[in-house]
Amino acid sequence: MVDRDRDDAGRALNSRPRDRLGRPLPPGSAGVARIPDDLDLSPRQTLTFAQQLLDDGLAFNAHEVLEAAWKNGPFAERMLWQALAQLAVGVTHIQRGNPKGARTLLTRAVTRLTEYQPEDGTQAPYGIDRTGLIAYSQALVDALDAQTPISPTELTPRLRA
């Protein structure tokens, strides 16, 4: 059995360095800065940080930021944050050259974004562009299905309207 770092509760921690696309590197390698496991930001800070990472081509790191919001946020918003995290990891799969994985995650993101119903019945909270992100994700799925090349400039979704 592999000896792994663990937190105080005994959950496994992954301290291995990762490359720009989130792939593990050999121990001791120089990788990109990791997102802390205990990241706790406000929703607006989360969106700003995730957008910056997406704009810098670090979709895997954006996924980790959005995943923290999904796991730590209010129950009523979990589907929304999960969809955003899945969108970011779908982009990561495109960056890694994995169209099947990308299609799966982007389709899940479209489903969750479509099914998410804001509490007030109108807009998604925090200025999240739910309608635009559904269209963006579906356009990527369509491009993957048509085997149309997707340029790196097309892999920077706008999280807010």
Side-chain angles (χ1 to χ4, degrees):
M1 178 177 230
V2 175
D3 187 30
R4 296 183 68 180
D5 294 333
R6 299 201 176 267
D7 67 12
D8 293 338
R11 290 184 299 265
L13 298 174
N14 190 346
S15 58
R16 250 174 103 176
R18 292 185 178 265
D19 69 7
R20 288 183 57 81
L21 303 180
R23 296 175 293 212
L25 296 169
S29 298
V32 300
R34 297 292 303 267
I35 302 301
D37 290 329
D38 61 351
L39 185 68
D40 188 19
L41 301 173
S42 73
R44 293 190 191 287
Q45 290 172 317
T46 295
L47 290 166
T48 298
F49 190 24
Q51 188 65 65
Q52 178 186 0
L53 292 165
L54 288 166
D55 292 347
D56 291 343
L58 297 168
F60 180 80
N61 284 15
H63 150 262
E64 289 187 325
V65 169
L66 295 163
E67 185 175 63
W70 156 27
K71 292 182 177 181
N72 297 325
F75 181 79
E77 295 176 4
R78 288 210 172 156
M79 183 182 289
L80 175 65
W81 291 107
Q82 184 179 28
L84 297 177
Q86 289 173 328
L87 189 160
V89 82
V91 169
T92 300
H93 282 292
I94 293 172
Q95 291 172 325
R96 292 177 178 176
N98 177 5
K100 182 178 179 183
R103 187 184 195 297
T104 298
L105 272 294
L106 291 167
T107 300
R108 287 180 190 165
V110 167
T111 299
R112 283 189 171 81
L113 285 167
T114 301
E115 291 177 355
Y116 172 74
Q117 295 299 316
E119 286 185 0
D120 66 3
T122 58
Q123 302 290 329
Y126 320 111
I128 294 171
D129 185 7
R130 183 171 150 259
T131 303
L133 291 170
I134 292 168
Y136 172 83
S137 300
Q138 188 58 57
L140 288 179
V141 169
D142 293 345
L144 290 166
D145 288 347
Q147 298 181 348
T148 303
I150 302 169
S151 74
T153 58
E154 295 174 277
L155 297 178
T156 51
R158 308 309 315 156
L159 299 176
R160 293 187 234 185

